[in-house]
């Protein structure tokens, strides 16, 4: 009963707040408290579903909430969160097709959804993700997230087996996969790091590319730098753990 009263009070306070104050509060909460941020952005959308900023920000918050859900028992909730995020992100793109932030938010959500899908669905999504990242960079060449998204696209395509790439290109309409390369994966991720050097996820994926390209020294350098960085986002604890696991794996190889 007390909890219900508290929730109702919170919702009432959000409904009475102004659009600008809700967006400002959401932005403040977004890095470390995506659920609180989402409540603010959805409060804005309840009043005006065509608010572009609230749509793409809600999509990113939902994506961040889905990120830690990695087990099979989490699958239904994770897929539900990604589906909601995609709806908001697609609406944001419809409202502002030239907005780098809107384009990036949709690419981000689709990229993470693709990682949970089979090869046919991943090929379908990959073509759209690449297009979204290129459009976002055309709108804002200094968007670190869009550079990361494009670098990750190259990385994921190049990680496919030769047979998977052949099937994708020959039978699933994935001819664009022929444009993927390790050098572009590295270049785009290095650009993302240069634009935001304290973003743990940028350095982690750059380390992954270096490890795949048999450059353990470069990978280790990125992973050790991660250990020195503060957590800026809720998912950073996950990325930090993954960085530690990769570092241990590389160190064992060198023994």
């Amino acid at each position: 009963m007390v909890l219900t009263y508290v929730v109702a009070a919170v919702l009432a306070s959000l409904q009475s707040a102004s659009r600008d104050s809700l967006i400002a509060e959401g932005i403040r909460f977004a890095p470390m408290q995506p659920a609180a941020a989402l409540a603010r952005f959805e409060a804005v959308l309840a009043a005006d579903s065509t608010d572009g900023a609230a749509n793409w920000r809600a999509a990113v918050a939902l994506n961040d909430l889905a990120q830690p859900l990695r087990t099979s028992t989490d699958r239904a909730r994770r897929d539900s969160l990604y589906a909601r995020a995609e709806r908001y992100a697609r609406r944001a793109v419809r409202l502002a097709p030239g907005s780098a932030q809107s384009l990036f938010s949709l690419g981000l959500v689709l990229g993470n959804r693709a990682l949970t899908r089979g090869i046919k669905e991943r090929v379908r999504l990959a073509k759209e993700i690449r297009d979204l990242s290129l459009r976002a960079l055309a709108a804002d060449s200094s968007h670190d997230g869009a550079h990361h998204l494009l670098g990750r696209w190259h990385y994921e395509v190049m990680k496919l087996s030769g047979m998977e790439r052949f099937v994708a290109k020959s039978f699933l309409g994935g001819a664009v996969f022929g444009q993927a390369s390790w050098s572009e994966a590295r270049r785009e991720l290095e650009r993302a790091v240069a634009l935001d050097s304290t973003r743990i996820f940028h350095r982690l994926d750059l380390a992954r590319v270096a490890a795949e390209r048999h450059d353990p020294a470069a990978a280790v350098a990125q992973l050790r730098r991660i250990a020195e960085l503060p957590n800026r986002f809720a998912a950073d604890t996950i990325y930090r753990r993954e960085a530690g696991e990769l570092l241990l794996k590389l160190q064992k190889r060198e023994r």
Side-chain angles (χ1 to χ4, degrees):
M1 181 67 72
V2 173
L3 180 59
T4 301
Y5 175 80
V6 171
V7 171
V10 170
L11 290 175
S13 67
L14 292 180
Q15 290 169 355
S16 65
S18 71
R19 182 266 181 197
D20 289 347
S21 66
L22 286 169
I23 292 290
E25 286 183 10
I27 292 172
R28 179 165 56 86
F29 282 120
M32 300 300 290
Q33 298 176 262
L38 177 64
R40 272 94 183 146
F41 300 140
E42 289 193 320
V44 173
L45 293 170
D48 179 8
S49 64
T50 65
D51 191 299
N55 273 289
W56 74 257
R57 289 185 184 280
V60 173
L62 284 160
N63 174 84
D64 292 349
L65 289 171
Q67 277 292 286
L69 305 178
R70 307 289 181 91
T71 68
S72 58
T73 56
D74 293 328
R75 181 173 181 176
R77 173 159 170 73
R78 180 196 67 210
D79 289 352
S80 174
L81 290 171
Y82 280 139
R84 284 172 62 197
E86 183 177 345
R87 287 196 295 272
Y88 284 137
R90 288 197 182 282
R91 186 191 292 163
V93 171
R94 287 196 300 272
L95 290 166
S99 163
Q101 293 285 21
S102 296
L103 294 162
F104 166 72
S105 71
L106 180 55
L108 174 69
V109 173
L110 295 183
N112 285 321
R113 289 197 77 177
L115 296 176
T116 69
R117 295 294 188 265
I119 182 65
K120 186 174 182 178
E121 182 71 0
R122 286 162 65 191
V123 170
R124 184 186 70 80
L125 291 172
K127 292 187 289 184
E128 186 174 9
I129 292 163
R130 179 179 180 272
D131 177 64
L132 289 164
S133 62
L134 290 172
R135 287 168 62 192
L137 288 172
D140 180 2
S141 62
S142 65
H143 196 296
D144 60 290
H147 281 287
H148 188 140
L149 187 63
L150 185 55
R152 183 70 184 237
W153 180 87
H154 285 278
Y155 169 74
E156 292 295 341
V157 173
M158 294 306 296
K159 270 182 60 184
L160 295 172
S161 69
M163 179 57 70
E164 286 175 321
R165 283 203 299 275
F166 172 76
V167 170
K169 289 190 288 185
S170 302
F171 304 108
L172 299 177
V176 71
F177 279 24
Q179 298 182 38
S181 71
W182 285 114
S183 61
E184 282 300 294
R186 190 164 193 164
R187 187 179 76 85
E188 292 294 340
L189 287 164
E190 286 176 343
R191 180 62 176 148
V193 169
L195 288 166
D196 190 346
S197 62
T198 64
R199 186 72 187 260
I200 288 175
F201 192 39
H202 291 344
R203 291 186 181 273
L204 175 57
D205 270 358
L206 181 55
R208 286 170 170 154
V209 169
E212 289 284 347
R213 299 311 296 148
H214 310 292
D215 189 353
V220 167
Q222 293 299 329
L223 296 170
R224 287 181 173 161
R225 182 72 181 97
I226 286 172
E228 302 169 353
L229 296 175
N231 286 350
R232 291 173 48 199
F233 299 90
D236 282 348
T237 55
I238 298 171
Y239 300 143
R240 189 182 300 281
R241 185 187 70 243
E242 292 175 348
E245 291 169 354
L246 179 55
L247 179 60
L248 183 61
K249 182 178 179 180
L250 292 172
Q251 289 172 334
K252 285 182 177 178
R253 285 181 188 175
E254 294 299 305
R255 290 174 185 169

